Amino acid sequence: NKIEEMVIEYLKDAGLIVYDKDESGNQFSFSDGPIAGNIDGVVMNLLESDKPHLFECKSAKDSRFKDFIKKGIKEVEPKYWAQIQTYMHYMNLERCLYVIYNKDTSELHIERFEYNAMEANYYVNRAKDIASKEEHETERKYKGPAWRECKWCSYKEKCWGGSHEAPRGTIEESSTDTE
């Protein structure tokens, strides 16, 4: 994507080494049964660390961009946090350089963070558990397949089948308001 290519050029201009393609010219990738992914790249030569970093780049409109600055990726987009922890797990990387590009102002926000083995293993095991179920038995976070987070998920059909109603066991259904 154009934004990612532009950000990679910015990083290279800043003196960083960025590997975004393998020997065949393809994105680096991994596969472990039902879990697979393509990373944006690996960054090296950071002032803060001599360790290679997973490189992931996302773009956001200004209001969302400001949320990332204020709250951080883990709170604003937990699915990206899970994705990055999973990517670091499979690529054997201990650090991540996460860059968010503001689509409205062209600003960049950069976050660095470390691999968390406990979280990564949770996400990997959860994904394998979901993929292995003939009938989805784990709790669902969202009420139906029309939710934004479910719309593009590759396991939507396995999770929801043809149903457009919340089955028993959704988190919203089982949570109670304690305030």
Side-chain angles (χ1 to χ4, degrees):
N1 94 30
K2 297 280 187 206
I3 291 173
E4 187 179 305
E5 291 171 12
M6 183 176 58
V7 169
I8 288 172
E9 286 308 309
Y10 290 160
L11 295 175
K12 288 178 178 178
D13 289 346
L16 301 180
I17 299 167
V18 182
Y19 299 100
D20 61 327
K21 305 272 189 267
D22 65 16
E23 312 82 42
S24 306
N26 299 312
Q27 278 187 296
F28 294 103
S29 62
F30 65 87
S31 179
D32 178 20
I35 302 173
N38 298 309
I39 67 168
D40 293 340
V42 175
V43 178
M44 298 179 67
N45 205 30
L46 279 81
L47 292 174
E48 300 86 352
S49 175
D50 60 351
K51 294 184 178 196
H53 284 54
L54 171 71
F55 166 65
E56 282 297 312
C57 181
K58 303 288 185 201
S59 60
K61 294 200 175 267
D62 192 55
S63 61
R64 192 106 171 119
F65 182 83
K66 288 176 180 171
D67 282 345
F68 278 110
I69 290 172
K70 185 177 180 181
K71 301 174 187 170
I73 180 179
K74 188 173 184 176
E75 186 175 332
V76 176
E77 277 294 352
K79 71 179 178 183
Y80 292 154
W81 178 260
Q83 176 188 42
I84 288 168
Q85 289 295 331
T86 302
Y87 285 3
M88 285 191 285
H89 177 82
Y90 280 104
M91 301 305 289
N92 295 311
L93 294 167
E94 297 176 14
R95 304 278 190 281
C96 177
L97 183 77
Y98 182 77
V99 179
I100 305 158
Y101 176 86
N102 187 321
K103 293 178 184 179
D104 299 320
T105 66
S106 298
E107 290 174 87
L108 296 177
H109 173 66
I110 298 173
E111 291 185 44
R112 283 184 60 241
F113 40 84
E114 296 182 5
Y115 170 68
N116 182 313
M118 190 165 27
E119 282 185 280
N121 284 314
Y122 168 79
Y123 298 131
V124 168
N125 291 333
R126 177 131 169 100
K128 286 181 177 181
D129 182 51
I130 289 169
S132 71
K133 303 285 184 202
E134 281 301 313
E135 189 174 301
H136 189 68
E137 298 168 10
T138 58
E139 284 187 348
R140 291 177 178 89
K141 185 172 181 180
Y142 307 105
K143 291 185 179 182
W147 281 63
R148 178 177 62 95
E149 290 82 355
C150 295
K151 271 186 186 175
W152 308 111
C153 178
S154 57
Y155 285 95
K156 181 172 96 172
E157 285 302 314
K158 191 164 192 134
C159 242
W160 297 103
S163 171
H164 292 285
E165 294 181 23
R168 296 209 183 295
T170 59
I171 292 173
E172 283 85 2
E173 184 180 89
S174 62
S175 65
T176 57
D177 190 10
T178 58
E179 292 182 37

